[in-house]
Amino acid sequence: STFVQNDYDNLLRAIETSLEQPDSFDLAYQLLRALDSFALVYADWDRWLHYLELARMTSGVLQRRGEQANLLTMIAAIFMNQGDLAKAGRYFREA
């Protein structure tokens, strides 16, 4: 927890860098899963949505349906926290 607080921006840069190449998708996905609860608590929703959408697109290209469904669920959770239940429902249904 302390590590994430101190290095949150660096961890986000690691995600962004990992998403630049499809062959490093697994690393980006693992980081996204590990940091998802922190991003929700920090209410860093816009930036987090950006990374989740990039990962979702990459998972589609790589035909990684399980990861794609999980990313869609993570996106839906953000919209639920923002109170946008229509968007949350759309992403939950797609997942």
Side-chain angles (χ1 to χ4, degrees), residues 22-63:
D23 61 342
S24 59
F25 172 77
D26 287 329
L27 173 60
Y29 180 72
Q30 289 173 11
L31 287 169
L32 287 166
R33 288 198 47 163
L35 297 175
D36 187 55
S37 60
F38 290 99
L40 291 176
V41 169
Y42 293 162
D44 190 16
W45 297 326
D46 291 335
R47 188 162 50 163
W48 198 243
L49 276 172
H50 173 74
Y51 296 130
L52 292 174
E53 285 290 348
L54 288 174
R56 184 188 64 82
M57 289 187 297
T58 302
S59 66
V61 169
L62 296 174
Q63 298 183 2

mmCIF file of all heavy atoms in Angstrom, residues 22-63:
data_model
loop_
_atom_site.group_PDB
_atom_site.id
_atom_site.type_symbol
_atom_site.label_atom_id
_atom_site.label_comp_id
_atom_site.label_asym_id
_atom_site.label_seq_id
_atom_site.Cartn_x
_atom_site.Cartn_y
_atom_site.Cartn_z
ATOM 1 N N PRO A 22 1.972 -4.737 -28.053
ATOM 2 C CA PRO A 22 1.088 -5.866 -27.729
ATOM 3 C C PRO A 22 1.788 -7.020 -27.012
ATOM 4 O O PRO A 22 1.164 -7.713 -26.205
ATOM 5 C CB PRO A 22 0.558 -6.316 -29.092
ATOM 6 C CG PRO A 22 0.670 -5.116 -29.960
ATOM 7 C CD PRO A 22 1.890 -4.382 -29.465
ATOM 8 N N ASP A 23 3.087 -7.203 -27.266
ATOM 9 C CA ASP A 23 3.774 -8.327 -26.631
ATOM 10 C C ASP A 23 4.006 -8.111 -25.129
ATOM 11 O O ASP A 23 4.365 -9.039 -24.417
ATOM 12 C CB ASP A 23 5.090 -8.654 -27.337
ATOM 13 C CG ASP A 23 6.086 -7.512 -27.323
ATOM 14 O OD1 ASP A 23 5.686 -6.368 -27.080
ATOM 15 O OD2 ASP A 23 7.268 -7.787 -27.568
ATOM 16 N N SER A 24 3.774 -6.902 -24.629
ATOM 17 C CA SER A 24 3.890 -6.664 -23.188
ATOM 18 C C SER A 24 2.509 -6.464 -22.541
ATOM 19 O O SER A 24 2.401 -5.948 -21.427
ATOM 20 C CB SER A 24 4.802 -5.470 -22.907
ATOM 21 O OG SER A 24 4.309 -4.306 -23.521
ATOM 22 N N PHE A 25 1.474 -6.901 -23.253
ATOM 23 C CA PHE A 25 0.101 -6.774 -22.730
ATOM 24 C C PHE A 25 -0.054 -7.475 -21.386
ATOM 25 O O PHE A 25 -0.724 -6.957 -20.494
ATOM 26 C CB PHE A 25 -0.913 -7.334 -23.736
ATOM 27 C CG PHE A 25 -2.301 -7.409 -23.173
ATOM 28 C CD1 PHE A 25 -3.081 -6.271 -23.054
ATOM 29 C CD2 PHE A 25 -2.827 -8.616 -22.738
ATOM 30 C CE1 PHE A 25 -4.360 -6.338 -22.510
ATOM 31 C CE2 PHE A 25 -4.097 -8.693 -22.197
ATOM 32 C CZ PHE A 25 -4.868 -7.547 -22.087
ATOM 33 N N ASP A 26 0.541 -8.656 -21.220
ATOM 34 C CA ASP A 26 0.379 -9.402 -19.964
ATOM 35 C C ASP A 26 0.855 -8.591 -18.764
ATOM 36 O O ASP A 26 0.199 -8.585 -17.718
ATOM 37 C CB ASP A 26 1.115 -10.741 -20.027
ATOM 38 C CG ASP A 26 0.412 -11.740 -20.923
ATOM 39 O OD1 ASP A 26 -0.835 -11.687 -21.024
ATOM 40 O OD2 ASP A 26 1.102 -12.559 -21.542
ATOM 41 N N LEU A 27 1.982 -7.909 -18.911
ATOM 42 C CA LEU A 27 2.485 -7.076 -17.818
ATOM 43 C C LEU A 27 1.508 -5.943 -17.517
ATOM 44 O O LEU A 27 1.172 -5.686 -16.358
ATOM 45 C CB LEU A 27 3.861 -6.514 -18.157
ATOM 46 C CG LEU A 27 4.432 -5.501 -17.166
ATOM 47 C CD1 LEU A 27 4.588 -6.118 -15.775
ATOM 48 C CD2 LEU A 27 5.745 -4.951 -17.666
ATOM 49 N N ALA A 28 1.050 -5.251 -18.560
ATOM 50 C CA ALA A 28 0.106 -4.149 -18.368
ATOM 51 C C ALA A 28 -1.172 -4.648 -17.699
ATOM 52 O O ALA A 28 -1.683 -4.021 -16.768
ATOM 53 C CB ALA A 28 -0.218 -3.497 -19.711
ATOM 54 N N TYR A 29 -1.658 -5.790 -18.148
ATOM 55 C CA TYR A 29 -2.892 -6.348 -17.583
ATOM 56 C C TYR A 29 -2.716 -6.687 -16.098
ATOM 57 O O TYR A 29 -3.585 -6.385 -15.278
ATOM 58 C CB TYR A 29 -3.320 -7.575 -18.389
ATOM 59 C CG TYR A 29 -4.575 -8.223 -17.878
ATOM 60 C CD1 TYR A 29 -5.816 -7.604 -18.065
ATOM 61 C CD2 TYR A 29 -4.536 -9.430 -17.207
ATOM 62 C CE1 TYR A 29 -6.972 -8.186 -17.587
ATOM 63 C CE2 TYR A 29 -5.686 -10.019 -16.733
ATOM 64 C CZ TYR A 29 -6.904 -9.392 -16.924
ATOM 65 O OH TYR A 29 -8.055 -9.973 -16.440
ATOM 66 N N GLN A 30 -1.604 -7.279 -15.754
ATOM 67 C CA GLN A 30 -1.341 -7.610 -14.353
ATOM 68 C C GLN A 30 -1.264 -6.352 -13.489
ATOM 69 O O GLN A 30 -1.786 -6.317 -12.368
ATOM 70 C CB GLN A 30 -0.057 -8.425 -14.224
ATOM 71 C CG GLN A 30 -0.189 -9.826 -14.759
ATOM 72 C CD GLN A 30 1.142 -10.558 -14.767
ATOM 73 O OE1 GLN A 30 2.126 -10.104 -14.196
ATOM 74 N NE2 GLN A 30 1.162 -11.700 -15.436
ATOM 75 N N LEU A 31 -0.614 -5.321 -14.015
ATOM 76 C CA LEU A 31 -0.541 -4.055 -13.271
ATOM 77 C C LEU A 31 -1.923 -3.420 -13.119
ATOM 78 O O LEU A 31 -2.261 -2.895 -12.049
ATOM 79 C CB LEU A 31 0.419 -3.083 -13.965
ATOM 80 C CG LEU A 31 1.901 -3.399 -13.834
ATOM 81 C CD1 LEU A 31 2.730 -2.535 -14.785
ATOM 82 C CD2 LEU A 31 2.360 -3.188 -12.391
ATOM 83 N N LEU A 32 -2.711 -3.455 -14.184
ATOM 84 C CA LEU A 32 -4.059 -2.894 -14.114
ATOM 85 C C LEU A 32 -4.897 -3.609 -13.059
ATOM 86 O O LEU A 32 -5.592 -2.965 -12.274
ATOM 87 C CB LEU A 32 -4.745 -2.982 -15.483
ATOM 88 C CG LEU A 32 -4.241 -2.002 -16.532
ATOM 89 C CD1 LEU A 32 -4.722 -2.399 -17.914
ATOM 90 C CD2 LEU A 32 -4.675 -0.588 -16.200
ATOM 91 N N ARG A 33 -4.820 -4.900 -13.036
ATOM 92 C CA ARG A 33 -5.586 -5.658 -12.033
ATOM 93 C C ARG A 33 -5.099 -5.348 -10.621
ATOM 94 O O ARG A 33 -5.894 -5.191 -9.703
ATOM 95 C CB ARG A 33 -5.492 -7.144 -12.322
ATOM 96 C CG ARG A 33 -6.296 -7.515 -13.555
ATOM 97 C CD ARG A 33 -6.583 -8.941 -13.646
ATOM 98 N NE ARG A 33 -7.082 -9.419 -12.355
ATOM 99 C CZ ARG A 33 -7.712 -10.547 -12.193
ATOM 100 N NH1 ARG A 33 -7.926 -11.308 -13.212
ATOM 101 N NH2 ARG A 33 -8.118 -10.938 -11.006
ATOM 102 N N ALA A 34 -3.801 -5.252 -10.460
ATOM 103 C CA ALA A 34 -3.242 -5.005 -9.129
ATOM 104 C C ALA A 34 -3.561 -3.602 -8.613
ATOM 105 O O ALA A 34 -3.733 -3.406 -7.409
ATOM 106 C CB ALA A 34 -1.730 -5.222 -9.145
ATOM 107 N N LEU A 35 -3.649 -2.642 -9.511
ATOM 108 C CA LEU A 35 -3.829 -1.247 -9.097
ATOM 109 C C LEU A 35 -5.267 -0.753 -9.192
ATOM 110 O O LEU A 35 -5.552 0.383 -8.806
ATOM 111 C CB LEU A 35 -2.932 -0.340 -9.943
ATOM 112 C CG LEU A 35 -1.435 -0.571 -9.787
ATOM 113 C CD1 LEU A 35 -0.662 0.295 -10.765
ATOM 114 C CD2 LEU A 35 -1.005 -0.301 -8.365
ATOM 115 N N ASP A 36 -6.165 -1.576 -9.685
ATOM 116 C CA ASP A 36 -7.538 -1.136 -9.917
ATOM 117 C C ASP A 36 -8.187 -0.578 -8.653
ATOM 118 O O ASP A 36 -8.786 0.497 -8.688
ATOM 119 C CB ASP A 36 -8.377 -2.276 -10.486
ATOM 120 C CG ASP A 36 -9.749 -1.814 -10.904
ATOM 121 O OD1 ASP A 36 -9.835 -0.868 -11.714
ATOM 122 O OD2 ASP A 36 -10.743 -2.379 -10.410
ATOM 123 N N SER A 37 -8.071 -1.264 -7.547
ATOM 124 C CA SER A 37 -8.715 -0.777 -6.323
ATOM 125 C C SER A 37 -8.112 0.546 -5.857
ATOM 126 O O SER A 37 -8.822 1.412 -5.333
ATOM 127 C CB SER A 37 -8.642 -1.822 -5.208
ATOM 128 O OG SER A 37 -7.307 -2.121 -4.903
ATOM 129 N N PHE A 38 -6.810 0.726 -6.080
ATOM 130 C CA PHE A 38 -6.182 1.995 -5.705
ATOM 131 C C PHE A 38 -6.713 3.137 -6.571
ATOM 132 O O PHE A 38 -6.993 4.225 -6.064
ATOM 133 C CB PHE A 38 -4.662 1.912 -5.833
ATOM 134 C CG PHE A 38 -4.027 1.030 -4.806
ATOM 135 C CD1 PHE A 38 -3.681 -0.274 -5.118
ATOM 136 C CD2 PHE A 38 -3.773 1.489 -3.526
ATOM 137 C CE1 PHE A 38 -3.099 -1.102 -4.171
ATOM 138 C CE2 PHE A 38 -3.193 0.675 -2.565
ATOM 139 C CZ PHE A 38 -2.853 -0.625 -2.894
ATOM 140 N N ALA A 39 -6.831 2.904 -7.862
ATOM 141 C CA ALA A 39 -7.340 3.944 -8.762
ATOM 142 C C ALA A 39 -8.762 4.336 -8.389
ATOM 143 O O ALA A 39 -9.122 5.514 -8.453
ATOM 144 C CB ALA A 39 -7.274 3.474 -10.205
ATOM 145 N N LEU A 40 -9.562 3.354 -7.971
ATOM 146 C CA LEU A 40 -10.934 3.660 -7.559
ATOM 147 C C LEU A 40 -10.949 4.481 -6.278
ATOM 148 O O LEU A 40 -11.695 5.447 -6.158
ATOM 149 C CB LEU A 40 -11.734 2.373 -7.378
ATOM 150 C CG LEU A 40 -12.038 1.597 -8.659
ATOM 151 C CD1 LEU A 40 -12.750 0.292 -8.336
ATOM 152 C CD2 LEU A 40 -12.845 2.430 -9.630
ATOM 153 N N VAL A 41 -10.102 4.116 -5.320
ATOM 154 C CA VAL A 41 -10.036 4.850 -4.052
ATOM 155 C C VAL A 41 -9.506 6.261 -4.275
ATOM 156 O O VAL A 41 -10.005 7.224 -3.682
ATOM 157 C CB VAL A 41 -9.160 4.092 -3.027
ATOM 158 C CG1 VAL A 41 -8.862 4.942 -1.806
ATOM 159 C CG2 VAL A 41 -9.839 2.802 -2.614
ATOM 160 N N TYR A 42 -8.511 6.407 -5.150
ATOM 161 C CA TYR A 42 -7.944 7.726 -5.436
ATOM 162 C C TYR A 42 -8.879 8.576 -6.289
ATOM 163 O O TYR A 42 -8.621 9.755 -6.494
ATOM 164 C CB TYR A 42 -6.609 7.598 -6.168
ATOM 165 C CG TYR A 42 -5.484 6.994 -5.365
ATOM 166 C CD1 TYR A 42 -4.360 6.484 -6.014
ATOM 167 C CD2 TYR A 42 -5.499 6.918 -3.979
ATOM 168 C CE1 TYR A 42 -3.307 5.925 -5.305
ATOM 169 C CE2 TYR A 42 -4.459 6.352 -3.272
ATOM 170 C CZ TYR A 42 -3.370 5.866 -3.936
ATOM 171 O OH TYR A 42 -2.334 5.310 -3.236
ATOM 172 N N ALA A 43 -9.948 7.963 -6.811
ATOM 173 C CA ALA A 43 -10.883 8.650 -7.709
ATOM 174 C C ALA A 43 -10.155 9.215 -8.927
ATOM 175 O O ALA A 43 -10.489 10.273 -9.432
ATOM 176 C CB ALA A 43 -11.664 9.729 -6.976
ATOM 177 N N ASP A 44 -9.177 8.476 -9.391
ATOM 178 C CA ASP A 44 -8.390 8.858 -10.572
ATOM 179 C C ASP A 44 -9.056 8.282 -11.822
ATOM 180 O O ASP A 44 -8.435 7.601 -12.620
ATOM 181 C CB ASP A 44 -6.957 8.310 -10.409
ATOM 182 C CG ASP A 44 -6.003 8.854 -11.440
ATOM 183 O OD1 ASP A 44 -6.329 9.864 -12.091
ATOM 184 O OD2 ASP A 44 -4.928 8.257 -11.606
ATOM 185 N N TRP A 45 -10.345 8.540 -11.944
ATOM 186 C CA TRP A 45 -11.170 7.826 -12.898
ATOM 187 C C TRP A 45 -10.861 8.126 -14.357
ATOM 188 O O TRP A 45 -10.822 7.212 -15.175
ATOM 189 C CB TRP A 45 -12.635 8.085 -12.597
ATOM 190 C CG TRP A 45 -13.049 7.579 -11.247
ATOM 191 C CD1 TRP A 45 -12.576 6.462 -10.617
ATOM 192 C CD2 TRP A 45 -13.978 8.162 -10.362
ATOM 193 N NE1 TRP A 45 -13.171 6.309 -9.399
ATOM 194 C CE2 TRP A 45 -14.042 7.344 -9.210
ATOM 195 C CE3 TRP A 45 -14.772 9.299 -10.422
ATOM 196 C CZ2 TRP A 45 -14.879 7.626 -8.143
ATOM 197 C CZ3 TRP A 45 -15.602 9.573 -9.349
ATOM 198 C CH2 TRP A 45 -15.650 8.749 -8.228
ATOM 199 N N ASP A 46 -10.677 9.378 -14.701
ATOM 200 C CA ASP A 46 -10.458 9.715 -16.114
ATOM 201 C C ASP A 46 -9.165 9.099 -16.641
ATOM 202 O O ASP A 46 -9.145 8.500 -17.719
ATOM 203 C CB ASP A 46 -10.438 11.231 -16.327
ATOM 204 C CG ASP A 46 -11.800 11.853 -16.110
ATOM 205 O OD1 ASP A 46 -12.815 11.134 -16.268
ATOM 206 O OD2 ASP A 46 -11.858 13.046 -15.769
ATOM 207 N N ARG A 47 -8.110 9.254 -15.892
ATOM 208 C CA ARG A 47 -6.828 8.690 -16.317
ATOM 209 C C ARG A 47 -6.911 7.162 -16.331
ATOM 210 O O ARG A 47 -6.423 6.530 -17.255
ATOM 211 C CB ARG A 47 -5.716 9.167 -15.383
ATOM 212 C CG ARG A 47 -4.347 8.791 -15.853
ATOM 213 C CD ARG A 47 -3.251 9.590 -15.206
ATOM 214 N NE ARG A 47 -3.302 9.657 -13.755
ATOM 215 C CZ ARG A 47 -2.276 10.025 -13.007
ATOM 216 N NH1 ARG A 47 -1.131 10.365 -13.575
ATOM 217 N NH2 ARG A 47 -2.379 10.082 -11.703
ATOM 218 N N TRP A 48 -7.557 6.584 -15.328
ATOM 219 C CA TRP A 48 -7.684 5.131 -15.247
ATOM 220 C C TRP A 48 -8.527 4.592 -16.396
ATOM 221 O O TRP A 48 -8.212 3.559 -16.986
ATOM 222 C CB TRP A 48 -8.263 4.739 -13.892
ATOM 223 C CG TRP A 48 -8.044 3.312 -13.560
ATOM 224 C CD1 TRP A 48 -9.002 2.371 -13.382
ATOM 225 C CD2 TRP A 48 -6.799 2.639 -13.363
ATOM 226 N NE1 TRP A 48 -8.430 1.160 -13.090
ATOM 227 C CE2 TRP A 48 -7.072 1.305 -13.070
ATOM 228 C CE3 TRP A 48 -5.471 3.052 -13.420
ATOM 229 C CZ2 TRP A 48 -6.080 0.361 -12.834
ATOM 230 C CZ3 TRP A 48 -4.475 2.118 -13.168
ATOM 231 C CH2 TRP A 48 -4.785 0.798 -12.877
ATOM 232 N N LEU A 49 -9.601 5.291 -16.734
ATOM 233 C CA LEU A 49 -10.417 4.879 -17.877
ATOM 234 C C LEU A 49 -9.608 4.846 -19.158
ATOM 235 O O LEU A 49 -9.779 3.955 -19.990
ATOM 236 C CB LEU A 49 -11.611 5.831 -18.055
ATOM 237 C CG LEU A 49 -12.836 5.557 -17.212
ATOM 238 C CD1 LEU A 49 -13.840 6.690 -17.368
ATOM 239 C CD2 LEU A 49 -13.468 4.233 -17.587
ATOM 240 N N HIS A 50 -8.737 5.816 -19.320
ATOM 241 C CA HIS A 50 -7.882 5.868 -20.508
ATOM 242 C C HIS A 50 -7.045 4.597 -20.626
ATOM 243 O O HIS A 50 -6.998 3.957 -21.679
ATOM 244 C CB HIS A 50 -6.991 7.112 -20.455
ATOM 245 C CG HIS A 50 -5.968 7.169 -21.529
ATOM 246 N ND1 HIS A 50 -6.282 7.454 -22.843
ATOM 247 C CD2 HIS A 50 -4.625 6.953 -21.491
ATOM 248 C CE1 HIS A 50 -5.177 7.408 -23.577
ATOM 249 N NE2 HIS A 50 -4.169 7.113 -22.769
ATOM 250 N N TYR A 51 -6.407 4.202 -19.544
ATOM 251 C CA TYR A 51 -5.563 3.003 -19.566
ATOM 252 C C TYR A 51 -6.400 1.738 -19.762
ATOM 253 O O TYR A 51 -6.003 0.832 -20.500
ATOM 254 C CB TYR A 51 -4.732 2.891 -18.291
ATOM 255 C CG TYR A 51 -3.755 4.010 -18.121
ATOM 256 C CD1 TYR A 51 -3.675 4.717 -16.942
ATOM 257 C CD2 TYR A 51 -2.903 4.378 -19.160
ATOM 258 C CE1 TYR A 51 -2.765 5.757 -16.787
ATOM 259 C CE2 TYR A 51 -1.999 5.421 -19.020
ATOM 260 C CZ TYR A 51 -1.944 6.108 -17.830
ATOM 261 O OH TYR A 51 -1.064 7.136 -17.682
ATOM 262 N N LEU A 52 -7.555 1.686 -19.123
ATOM 263 C CA LEU A 52 -8.418 0.513 -19.276
ATOM 264 C C LEU A 52 -8.924 0.380 -20.715
ATOM 265 O O LEU A 52 -8.989 -0.723 -21.260
ATOM 266 C CB LEU A 52 -9.596 0.578 -18.301
ATOM 267 C CG LEU A 52 -9.263 0.429 -16.824
ATOM 268 C CD1 LEU A 52 -10.519 0.666 -15.975
ATOM 269 C CD2 LEU A 52 -8.654 -0.930 -16.530
ATOM 270 N N GLU A 53 -9.255 1.496 -21.327
ATOM 271 C CA GLU A 53 -9.715 1.464 -22.721
ATOM 272 C C GLU A 53 -8.589 1.024 -23.662
ATOM 273 O O GLU A 53 -8.822 0.243 -24.584
ATOM 274 C CB GLU A 53 -10.271 2.822 -23.155
ATOM 275 C CG GLU A 53 -11.638 3.132 -22.609
ATOM 276 C CD GLU A 53 -12.749 2.272 -23.208
ATOM 277 O OE1 GLU A 53 -12.525 1.566 -24.214
ATOM 278 O OE2 GLU A 53 -13.857 2.296 -22.658
ATOM 279 N N LEU A 54 -7.395 1.526 -23.432
ATOM 280 C CA LEU A 54 -6.257 1.084 -24.255
ATOM 281 C C LEU A 54 -6.035 -0.418 -24.103
ATOM 282 O O LEU A 54 -5.832 -1.130 -25.096
ATOM 283 C CB LEU A 54 -4.982 1.827 -23.857
ATOM 284 C CG LEU A 54 -4.871 3.296 -24.235
ATOM 285 C CD1 LEU A 54 -3.608 3.899 -23.630
ATOM 286 C CD2 LEU A 54 -4.863 3.459 -25.742
ATOM 287 N N ALA A 55 -6.103 -0.894 -22.882
ATOM 288 C CA ALA A 55 -5.915 -2.321 -22.632
ATOM 289 C C ALA A 55 -7.054 -3.131 -23.244
ATOM 290 O O ALA A 55 -6.835 -4.216 -23.801
ATOM 291 C CB ALA A 55 -5.815 -2.587 -21.137
ATOM 292 N N ARG A 56 -8.270 -2.611 -23.171
ATOM 293 C CA ARG A 56 -9.418 -3.305 -23.763
ATOM 294 C C ARG A 56 -9.252 -3.442 -25.265
ATOM 295 O O ARG A 56 -9.493 -4.514 -25.836
ATOM 296 C CB ARG A 56 -10.720 -2.567 -23.437
ATOM 297 C CG ARG A 56 -11.962 -3.296 -23.943
ATOM 298 C CD ARG A 56 -13.197 -2.448 -23.769
ATOM 299 N NE ARG A 56 -13.165 -1.242 -24.565
ATOM 300 C CZ ARG A 56 -13.488 -1.184 -25.861
ATOM 301 N NH1 ARG A 56 -13.856 -2.255 -26.500
ATOM 302 N NH2 ARG A 56 -13.450 -0.033 -26.503
ATOM 303 N N MET A 57 -8.808 -2.393 -25.927
ATOM 304 C CA MET A 57 -8.585 -2.455 -27.372
ATOM 305 C C MET A 57 -7.497 -3.471 -27.709
ATOM 306 O O MET A 57 -7.638 -4.261 -28.643
ATOM 307 C CB MET A 57 -8.242 -1.070 -27.924
ATOM 308 C CG MET A 57 -9.422 -0.120 -27.933
ATOM 309 S SD MET A 57 -9.101 1.456 -28.749
ATOM 310 C CE MET A 57 -7.812 2.145 -27.728
ATOM 311 N N THR A 58 -6.422 -3.457 -26.943
ATOM 312 C CA THR A 58 -5.330 -4.401 -27.176
ATOM 313 C C THR A 58 -5.794 -5.832 -26.950
ATOM 314 O O THR A 58 -5.464 -6.733 -27.727
ATOM 315 C CB THR A 58 -4.122 -4.084 -26.279
ATOM 316 O OG1 THR A 58 -3.702 -2.748 -26.537
ATOM 317 C CG2 THR A 58 -2.969 -5.040 -26.538
ATOM 318 N N SER A 59 -6.579 -6.046 -25.905
ATOM 319 C CA SER A 59 -7.078 -7.400 -25.639
ATOM 320 C C SER A 59 -7.968 -7.886 -26.778
ATOM 321 O O SER A 59 -7.961 -9.071 -27.110
ATOM 322 C CB SER A 59 -7.821 -7.464 -24.311
ATOM 323 O OG SER A 59 -9.014 -6.703 -24.351
ATOM 324 N N GLY A 60 -8.698 -6.973 -27.398
ATOM 325 C CA GLY A 60 -9.518 -7.340 -28.553
ATOM 326 C C GLY A 60 -8.669 -7.743 -29.741
ATOM 327 O O GLY A 60 -8.939 -8.745 -30.407
ATOM 328 N N VAL A 61 -7.623 -6.971 -29.999
ATOM 329 C CA VAL A 61 -6.711 -7.286 -31.109
ATOM 330 C C VAL A 61 -6.046 -8.642 -30.885
ATOM 331 O O VAL A 61 -5.888 -9.431 -31.815
ATOM 332 C CB VAL A 61 -5.648 -6.169 -31.268
ATOM 333 C CG1 VAL A 61 -4.547 -6.593 -32.221
ATOM 334 C CG2 VAL A 61 -6.300 -4.875 -31.730
ATOM 335 N N LEU A 62 -5.675 -8.907 -29.635
ATOM 336 C CA LEU A 62 -5.000 -10.165 -29.297
ATOM 337 C C LEU A 62 -5.976 -11.326 -29.097
ATOM 338 O O LEU A 62 -5.541 -12.449 -28.850
ATOM 339 C CB LEU A 62 -4.172 -9.983 -28.021
ATOM 340 C CG LEU A 62 -3.020 -8.989 -28.105
ATOM 341 C CD1 LEU A 62 -2.387 -8.800 -26.731
ATOM 342 C CD2 LEU A 62 -1.990 -9.447 -29.123
ATOM 343 N N GLN A 63 -7.271 -11.028 -29.210
ATOM 344 C CA GLN A 63 -8.328 -12.019 -29.009
ATOM 345 C C GLN A 63 -8.231 -12.682 -27.633
ATOM 346 O O GLN A 63 -8.341 -13.887 -27.496
ATOM 347 C CB GLN A 63 -8.332 -13.053 -30.130
ATOM 348 C CG GLN A 63 -8.607 -12.438 -31.473
ATOM 349 C CD GLN A 63 -8.685 -13.459 -32.585
ATOM 350 O OE1 GLN A 63 -8.571 -14.653 -32.383
ATOM 351 N NE2 GLN A 63 -8.904 -12.960 -33.793
#
